[in-house]
Amino acid sequence: MRTTALSINLLCRASLIASAMAGLTAVPAYAQDGASEADGGEIIVTARRREETLTDVPIAITALSADQLERTGAIDITAVAEQAPNVTLEASRATNSTLTAFIRGVGQQDPVSGFEQGVGIYLDDVYLNRPQAAVVDIYDVERIEVLRGPQGTLYGRNTVGGAVKYVTRKIGMDPRLSLRGTYGTHDMADGVITASTPVGDGTLRLGGSLARLSRGGFGMNLTTGRENYNKDVWAGRGTIEVHSDGFFARIAGDYTHDRSNERGGHRLIPSQFTAAPVLANVFDTRGGLVSPKQDVKAWGLSLFMEGELNDTLTVRSITSYRKDDSSSPIDFDALPSVDVDVPGIYANTQTSQELQLLINSDRFNGLIGAYYLNASALTQFDVRLFTTLNGLTGFTSADVGTDTLAAFADFTYDLTDQLSLSVGGRYTWDERTASILRQNYLGGGSPVFGGAGVAFGAPGTDFDGKSTFKKFTPRASLSFKPADGQNLYVSFSQGFKGGGFDPRGAGVNAPDLNTNGIREDAEVAAFLSFRPEKVNSYEVGYKGSLFDRKLYVAMAAFRMDYTDVQIPGSVACTVGGLPSFCGVVSNAGKARMQGLEFEARANLGALTLSGSLGYIDAKYLKYVTNIGGVPTDVAAFRKVQNTPAWTGNAQASYRADLGDGALTFTGGVSFKSKTYQFEIPNPYLDQDAYQLVDASIVYAAPDKRWTLGVYGKNLFDVKYKTSGYTFMAANATTGVLTTTAGGALIPSLGREGTLTAFYGNPRQVFVTATVNF
């Protein structure tokens, strides 16, 4: 009852926010003109695995149509976070293509094997198991959906925070050829060719896209002379579809090769030993590590089949295989010399199979599904340190396997024409295996990275283990439609993410739990393992298409009770008497996220106003960590990372007839309040509140035979941090950085002090032309 009362109170506050924004630009990227829209202008989504309008879905969801994305000049999937409240999507530190995703305070920014994402990324209903190569470039897209809150009873893989769905276009009956070219500042030069055609009577249809995406660097590596933050990507997608009465099948393949240079960080403090100053340009770096060559390759194949058994029952099968390989030289200290240098390799594969039975009758709709995932994630890296020893390297190899079986179901029954009840559940069985090796080398790097180092001492970790996790998670919602085009709903859902083993843990540091003087396998397993996490999510919301669908409004109030929160991290440590860095995974106890979300869109003829506002009060209630061998609750000194309290955007578009075509002016601003990069606040890395202003002018010829647009992103050239690294000494309880008597910061690893940051894109201006045949 206390939770329900709180949710109602929060919804009342959301109504006040809606009233306050009535004169502001309103509405989310929701109901945009596009291929996925209904006759009334509302986007059709498949959040519940069936076609529905946004208003009908009792889930907090933002949907961006192809036209909306085109009008704003969206470049890749991270642009979605500018439109969706309480969502963070960023390229991870030191990379162009690995994704960090958070929704409502739930997510994961650690890309190494063993840690699952808290937000599910889907490419045409296929779950991407790893964050590498998940910063998907936007082309040949129909829409992107962002679902907030746990998803498990409708989707193959359970996710605790939410899901992002990238939906590509189906092939139409008319032959199509589209050419898109872009040129802009920083030598941005993109080209995309998309073609499709029916074969014969149209039962068989073929289509594909080829994309060349390139850009010069925003800065330079002053040591190597190479461009920093450049882009060098080749990508393509191909599709074979079968359309017949009562049956649809699609074979799809995609390939991406990212050959961009290694991305170097910006030092936030002078180097402690060589006194190298802080560089003036935040996009410049001095990192000297260039091996292995930065390279990311990812590809996948999928087979989607759907057949109607009768007017009520439909069966679906989704089969997929995906593989990606990445190599990356990560210079943590961003200096020419070896101080904290980490060359890394990521190699991931996954095979998945999903089966669904969909039920669609007059008052009863539902889905029964089964899902299987087999995945392997290999992470290998050196930690090369400056020490008084001759080239000390700590090598880690972590090969983590995942086998998942799940059964799920979700049913909706219309009790009356206005009242609907939905109930669902999921049973998940996860098996996690891990093979982890840590070995020190002297005289150079490890042989895996071409080093001449010689193995020194016994392995810090030599572990093989397996754990199984099982969980049933329910979901229920009640919807009331007071009038046509309006929906009031209340829902409860539970999310679950299995446990695992810390791939960076040092087994030799495991405590002797039974005090027998022997470090037993069970003690090492207990030291390296972490428990599953669980979320109970409560939500009450309202959606409405009002005034003859000229105004769309969506409001939600939510509370999430988060237990055993998995928080991976790396800290300076000693392994076998030698300095290194080690993984530290905390099951933080309890966290609570509660907040409000408001989205709206007003169609005022030639003028369209849209906007969103999100507020979240996210805090740890219990955060127990081991300090000096004593379990200590440090919740009062910890923050929920990558979760600003306030997010929002406001946008206005004006359409004017010009000749036979139309000219559209669009301007908008997005904002985020202060963002903490890690759980421990850091005055150097944490990003204060900021705003980004974008604008565009697009001319479209009749029937969009051709378009020409000028786009400006981050017009005021705001410099904002998105991620970073820190290895500086701090108080173990409060996290406050410690200093010498003279006020200098103290390195905790290496001698120069690692405190480096990565930044979001600066101002970009570009022209895009599209020709459609």
Side-chain angles (χ1 to χ4, degrees):
M1 291 297 292
R2 293 176 61 188
T3 299
T4 302
L6 174 62
S7 297
I8 293 173
N9 184 24
L10 290 174
L11 186 60
C12 292
R13 295 185 187 180
S15 299
L16 293 175
I17 293 174
S19 300
M21 289 188 67
L24 223 167
T25 56
V27 157
Y30 284 29
Q32 303 290 337
D33 297 334
S36 57
E37 291 184 14
D39 293 339
E42 292 182 287
I43 276 191
I44 300 299
V45 296
T46 54
R48 294 201 291 177
R49 298 300 183 100
R50 58 180 184 268
E51 293 189 348
E52 299 174 285
T53 67
L54 281 168
T55 306
D56 291 335
V57 181
I59 297 172
I61 175 175
T62 299
L64 307 177
S65 72
D67 278 359
Q68 165 72 10
L69 295 165
E70 178 185 350
R71 192 157 50 241
T72 58
I75 296 172
D76 59 47
I77 200 169
T78 62
V80 174
E82 297 175 9
Q83 306 288 333
N86 292 325
V87 175
T88 296
L89 300 172
E90 301 284 2
S92 298
R93 50 199 176 183
T95 177
N96 287 316
S97 52
T98 299
L99 183 68
T100 293
F102 280 75
I103 295 179
R104 291 181 175 176
V106 180
Q108 176 62 260
Q109 76 156 314
D110 202 320
V112 300
S113 57
F115 303 124
E116 287 194 34
Q117 304 170 85
V119 174
I121 309 298
Y122 288 83
L123 179 59
D124 283 334
D125 289 318
V126 174
Y127 172 73
L128 306 185
N129 187 59
R130 301 300 300 155
Q132 284 80 26
V135 178
V136 182
D137 288 289
I138 293 174
Y139 63 95
D140 195 32
V141 64
E142 180 176 293
R143 69 183 181 277
I144 297 177
E145 301 175 10
V146 181
L147 288 69
R148 298 185 291 278
Q151 310 295 325
T153 64
L154 296 163
Y155 286 84
R157 188 64 168 137
N158 52 298
T159 56
V160 290
V164 180
K165 292 182 60 181
Y166 186 105
V167 182
T168 61
R169 302 177 191 269
K170 284 186 177 181
I171 301 173
M173 267 298 291
D174 297 324
R176 173 178 174 244
L177 174 63
S178 177
L179 308 177
R180 189 186 87 192
T182 297
Y183 185 77
T185 53
H186 306 287
D187 289 328
M188 179 181 183
D190 293 349
V192 180
I193 302 174
T194 301
S196 63
T197 184
V199 178
D201 63 356
T203 300
L204 179 66
R205 305 177 193 179
L206 309 177
S209 295
L210 178 65
R212 171 61 174 147
L213 311 170
S214 65
R215 186 193 64 234
F218 299 142
M220 294 293 295
N221 186 316
L222 304 184
T223 299
T224 67
R226 293 159 63 86
E227 292 181 303
N228 200 28
Y229 286 81
N230 76 321
K231 186 173 184 177
D232 183 0
V233 173
W234 284 94
R237 299 188 187 118
T239 304
I240 302 172
E241 294 181 358
V242 175
H243 298 247
S244 65
D245 292 340
F247 179 78
F248 171 77
R250 169 192 269 184
I251 300 174
D254 65 272
Y255 176 80
T256 300
H257 188 186
D258 184 348
R259 302 183 301 177
S260 308
N261 295 342
E262 63 280 354
R263 179 172 287 193
H266 172 73
R267 286 190 63 87
L268 300 174
I269 59 172
S271 59
Q272 304 285 5
F273 184 76
T274 56
V278 174
L279 297 173
N281 183 355
V282 299
F283 297 105
D284 284 347
T285 190
R286 296 192 189 94
L289 183 65
V290 295
S291 179
K293 180 178 173 59
Q294 178 82 18
D295 194 67
V296 179
K297 295 178 182 177
W299 62 275
L301 292 170
S302 65
L303 171 61
F304 177 97
M305 295 188 293
E306 180 179 86
E308 296 179 5
L309 302 179
N310 51 45
D311 291 341
T312 302
L313 300 177
T314 300
V315 292
R316 284 180 185 161
S317 171
I318 305 168
T319 308
S320 78
Y321 175 82
R322 298 198 64 82
K323 178 177 174 60
D324 64 83
D325 296 282
S326 305
S327 56
S328 182
I330 307 174
D331 198 318
F332 278 43
D333 55 273
L335 289 168
S337 60
V338 175
D339 195 57
V340 184
D341 289 2
V342 183
I345 292 173
Y346 304 91
N348 307 306
T349 62
Q350 67 174 82
T351 302
S352 63
Q353 175 63 55
E354 184 172 353
L355 298 173
Q356 302 172 10
L357 175 66
L358 288 84
I359 305 166
N360 185 5
S361 64
D362 183 33
R363 288 189 174 273
F364 182 74
N365 295 278
L367 177 148
I368 301 172
Y371 181 75
Y372 171 71
L373 171 70
N374 173 265
S376 173
L378 172 66
T379 299
Q380 295 178 314
F381 59 89
D382 278 358
V383 180
R384 300 175 181 174
L385 303 175
F386 173 86
T387 67
T388 54
L389 298 172
N390 181 21
L392 173 64
T393 292
F395 169 72
T396 297
S397 177
D399 192 354
V400 178
T402 299
D403 270 300
T404 291
L405 282 170
F408 54 95
D410 196 272
F411 303 105
T412 300
Y413 183 72
D414 297 334
L415 301 171
T416 69
D417 290 340
Q418 294 178 289
L419 190 64
S420 299
L421 175 66
S422 294
V423 294
R426 175 191 186 91
Y427 182 79
T428 302
W429 177 88
D430 274 359
E431 181 181 83
R432 199 88 68 236
T433 59
S435 179
I436 304 171
L437 173 68
R438 288 182 63 121
Q439 177 66 58
N440 286 327
Y441 288 85
L442 287 179
S446 70
V448 169
F449 293 96
V454 177
F456 174 76
T461 304
D462 190 359
F463 172 78
D464 291 283
K466 180 172 67 175
S467 285
T468 301
F469 309 95
K470 305 173 185 178
K471 182 67 177 177
F472 174 76
T473 50
R475 181 184 180 278
S477 67
L478 187 66
S479 298
F480 175 69
K481 298 179 179 179
D484 184 42
Q486 298 186 55
N487 189 359
L488 279 163
Y489 67 91
V490 59
S491 69
F492 167 80
S493 57
Q494 192 173 88
F496 163 79
K497 186 168 73 173
F501 302 97
D502 186 347
R504 291 179 300 232
V508 295
N509 292 344
D512 183 8
L513 299 176
N514 58 12
T515 65
N516 67 352
I518 301 173
R519 187 171 289 106
E520 299 174 354
D521 290 345
E523 292 170 330
V524 174
F527 181 68
L528 297 178
S529 65
F530 53 90
R531 300 187 301 276
E533 63 181 23
K534 184 181 73 173
V535 171
N536 288 333
S537 178
Y538 311 86
E539 185 173 321
V540 56
Y542 167 80
K543 298 181 180 184
S545 293
L546 309 172
F547 307 114
D548 196 23
R549 296 184 178 178
K550 289 183 173 61
L551 174 66
Y552 175 87
V553 175
M555 295 180 285
F558 63 90
R559 175 181 172 121
M560 300 169 67
D561 294 323
Y562 200 2
T563 55
D564 284 331
V565 186
Q566 297 169 6
I567 303 176
S570 298
V571 298
C573 65
T574 300
V575 180
L578 297 173
S580 186
F581 77 65
C582 299
V584 176
V585 180
S586 301
N587 280 106
K590 297 179 181 179
R592 182 218 63 211
M593 291 80 168
Q594 59 186 14
L596 309 167
E597 293 163 350
F598 170 75
E599 302 178 276
R601 172 184 168 84
N603 188 341
L604 307 176
L607 178 65
T608 299
L609 305 177
S610 63
S612 69
L613 182 66
Y615 169 74
I616 184 169
D617 173 22
K619 66 185 301 184
Y620 288 105
L621 304 179
K622 183 180 180 182
Y623 191 129
V624 177
T625 188
N626 193 302
I627 298 178
V630 179
T632 305
D633 188 350
V634 296
F637 306 101
R638 299 298 185 262
K639 302 292 184 180
V640 177
Q641 65 161 281
N642 281 288
T643 305
W646 293 93
T647 56
N649 80 93
Q651 188 179 101
S653 291
Y654 182 79
R655 183 181 183 275
D657 292 334
L658 182 63
D660 293 331
L663 193 64
T664 302
F665 302 85
T666 301
V669 58
S670 61
F671 61 89
K672 291 185 177 181
S673 61
K674 185 168 185 174
T675 303
Y676 297 94
Q677 307 294 354
F678 298 102
E679 282 70 26
I680 299 176
N682 187 301
Y684 292 89
L685 284 176
D686 296 334
Q687 175 60 50
D688 290 334
Y690 66 95
Q691 303 81 39
L692 302 178
V693 176
D694 301 338
S696 66
I697 304 173
V698 181
Y699 177 78
D703 299 324
K704 283 196 170 182
R705 291 192 304 271
W706 61 271
T707 65
L708 181 65
V710 180
Y711 302 86
K713 309 290 288 182
N714 187 8
L715 287 175
F716 291 97
D717 203 23
V718 175
K719 303 298 189 293
Y720 60 100
K721 306 181 197 79
T722 60
S723 57
Y725 293 110
T726 175
F727 284 100
M728 305 301 292
N731 182 282
T733 299
T734 66
V736 174
L737 296 173
T738 56
T739 60
T740 64
L745 297 174
I746 302 171
S748 61
L749 191 64
R751 60 177 180 173
E752 299 282 16
T754 294
L755 199 49
T756 56
F758 298 87
Y759 288 77
N761 291 5
R763 177 171 50 234
Q764 294 175 271
V765 179
F766 51 92
V767 177
T768 297
T770 303
V771 180
N772 297 305
F773 300 94

